[in-house]
Amino acid sequence: MPSPIGNPSEAVCLVQLTDSHLYALGHADLLGLDTSASLNAVIELVRSEVPDIDLILATGDIAQDASESAYRRFIAAVATLPAPCHWIPGNHDDAALMGRIGSDVGFTQEWVDAGNWRIVLLDSSVAGSVAGYLAPDQLELLERALDSAGERFIMVCLHHHPVPIGCDWMDPLGLLNVDDLLPRLRLDNRVKVVLWGHVHQELDEQLDGLRLLATPSTCVQFARHSVDFATDTQAPGYRRFALLPDGSIETRVSRLEAGLFLPEPGAVGY
C-alpha cells in the first residue's frame, strides 16, 4: 500500500476522471469525438479549477482498445496534474495489462489511505463481458480493507453501477452480484460513499446512509433515462471531492464549456 496521504485532521481533495476511452493512436475518435483531446481538455479544466489536489482516481475504461499505448498516453496526461493517480479497470480494459503497467508506476493499488479516509479500489471487470462482477478475490480484498481500516471512514470505488440508474439499456450492464456488495457495505457505518464510472452520466443518490455517485465521462456522454442507447449533448467533465475528517463529503461535477466535444448525432452503440 502507498504511504498515507494528508493529515487525518484535514480535508482531502480528490478528483475523479472516468471513461476516457483512449486508443493506441492519438486523435482517434469514439462516435466522432476525439477522446484524447477531450481528456486533455478536462485535465486542463481540473488544473484551472483545483490547484491543490491530493489524489486522482480513474475509475475504468481508460482505453477503448485495451492497448498499452493508450494506457501510456493516459499516464502521461495525468502526470501534468500535481497529485498521485490510482486506477481500476473497466469492461473495455485489459485488467492484467493495466495491473502490470500500473504496478510499475504506482497506479495499481488495493486501497489508499487519505486523511481520515480509506479508499478501496475494486476490480469489477470481467473479460469478454460488458456487465461487471466482483470475483471472490475482490470480495476478500474488500473484507481485508474493511477489517484493517480502523476508525477511518471508507469510500468504495468500482467501475460498474451497483444500483439501477433508470436507463433500460444500461441497467442490465451493471454489477451482476450486487447482493454480495451492498448488504455488506450497509452493515458498516464507516462506509459513506460508493463511487463508479461506466454510465457516462452524473448521478447522486442516497441509500440507507450510503452516498451513491456516478460521474460524467471525459469523452462521450450518455442520455439519462433512455430506453435504448442514446448519447447526450452535455460536455465532458469530472468530479471533485472534499473528504472531510468527520466522514462527510462535499462534491460537485464540473464540465467543459457547452457545445464542446459532441458525439456524432444518431449513434446507436459503440
Side-chain angles (χ1 to χ4, degrees):
M1 293 298 110
S3 300
I5 295 169
N7 188 313
S9 64
E10 297 177 352
V12 172
C13 180
L14 186 154
V15 164
Q16 180 197 12
L17 303 172
T18 196
D19 296 271
S20 52
H21 290 271
L22 300 180
Y23 290 85
L25 298 176
H27 306 297
D29 67 77
L30 177 67
L31 304 180
L33 189 154
D34 184 330
T35 59
S36 182
S38 65
L39 172 64
N40 288 327
V42 169
I43 287 175
E44 182 58 38
L45 180 64
V46 172
R47 189 180 298 110
S48 68
E49 292 184 339
V50 196
D52 297 313
I53 309 170
D54 294 302
L55 181 65
I56 303 157
L57 296 180
T59 50
D61 283 358
I62 309 299
Q64 173 70 8
D65 61 2
S67 65
E68 180 168 349
S69 295
Y71 297 125
R72 298 292 183 192
R73 184 172 295 107
F74 182 85
I75 291 168
V78 297
T80 63
L81 294 172
C85 179
H86 301 306
W87 64 13
I88 52 177
N91 51 287
H92 285 273
D93 290 311
D94 182 328
L97 177 59
M98 274 183 68
R100 291 195 296 273
I101 296 171
S103 294
D104 291 341
V105 296
F107 276 38
T108 299
Q109 303 290 343
E110 294 182 334
W111 62 76
V112 58
D113 291 334
N116 201 30
W117 287 75
R118 170 160 290 182
I119 299 163
V120 184
L121 303 168
L122 299 177
D123 177 3
S124 60
S125 68
V126 179
S129 172
V130 178
Y133 189 87
L134 290 173
D137 69 308
Q138 294 300 301
L139 296 173
E140 190 272 335
L141 183 162
L142 175 63
E143 288 298 327
R144 287 191 286 110
L146 296 178
D147 289 347
S148 62
E151 296 182 355
R152 293 181 184 273
F153 299 104
I154 297 165
M155 169 187 282
V156 174
C157 304
L158 67 166
H159 180 67
H160 293 84
H161 49 294
V163 294
I165 62 165
C167 286
D168 288 358
W169 70 274
M170 175 64 84
D171 278 340
L173 304 177
L175 184 69
L176 297 181
N177 61 329
V178 65
D179 288 342
D180 290 330
L181 177 67
L182 288 185
R184 177 64 183 89
L185 301 185
R186 292 161 73 181
L187 288 173
D188 193 325
N189 59 17
R190 296 171 302 169
V191 182
K192 302 298 183 183
V193 186
V194 183
L195 178 67
W196 64 88
H198 190 48
V199 300
H200 291 232
Q201 58 190 260
E202 180 179 356
L203 182 141
D204 187 344
E205 295 181 352
Q206 295 274 352
L207 177 67
D208 297 337
L210 284 177
R211 190 87 172 265
L212 305 174
L213 295 166
T215 297
S217 166
T218 65
C219 62
V220 174
Q221 308 303 299
F222 295 162
R224 300 184 67 189
H225 308 302
S226 53
V227 174
D228 299 313
F229 177 91
T231 59
D232 195 274
T233 57
Q234 291 193 86
Y238 73 98
R239 183 180 288 278
R240 62 191 289 186
F241 290 87
L243 304 180
L244 303 178
D246 64 359
S248 60
I249 70 167
E250 297 171 359
T251 185
R252 70 179 183 89
V253 163
S254 187
R255 295 180 185 266
L256 297 173
E257 182 182 345
L260 295 179
F261 299 104
L262 298 178
E264 60 194 19
V268 295
Y270 74 109

